[in-house]
Amino acid sequence: MNIDVDLYEPTRDSFDFFFPRMSPGGILYCDDYNASFFPGAKRAIDECVARHGAEVAMVFEIPLNAVFVVKR
């Protein structure tokens, strides 16, 4: 699942809608996670990971602002 909506609310809403529907081992990708010009994306992902924590197997930040969230 690729989330590329830049802002807090659509990032949060996308994560909350798609992540529970993903298969175990599925990967959610957000390319704006550490982008200084889109700080809401990081805040939304961090909040969603905390809320869905039991379903999260791994959070892996990669260079160039992105993050992978792997579903348990």
Side-chain angles (χ1 to χ4, degrees), residues 7-13 15-16 19 33 39-54 56 59 67 69:
L7 305 173
Y8 172 77
E9 286 183 8
T11 300
R12 180 201 60 209
D13 294 346
F15 190 110
D16 284 341
F19 193 76
Y33 183 70
K42 179 174 176 38
R43 187 174 124 223
I45 294 291
D46 290 346
E47 289 175 4
C48 290
V49 164
R51 230 180 3 266
H52 296 274
V56 175
V59 176
V67 67
V69 180

Side-chain angles (χ1 to χ4, degrees), residues 1 3 25 29 40 51 58:
M1 171 68 212
I3 295 179
Y29 171 77
R51 230 180 3 266
M58 180 174 60

Side-chain angles (χ1 to χ4, degrees), residues 18-42:
F18 289 108
F19 193 76
R21 291 165 172 80
M22 290 171 51
S23 299
I27 299 172
L28 184 142
Y29 171 77
C30 179
D31 70 334
D32 301 316
Y33 183 70
N34 278 318
S36 60
F37 38 90
F38 296 124
K42 179 174 176 38

Side-chain angles (χ1 to χ4, degrees), residues 5-6 21 40:
V5 292
D6 306 332
R21 291 165 172 80

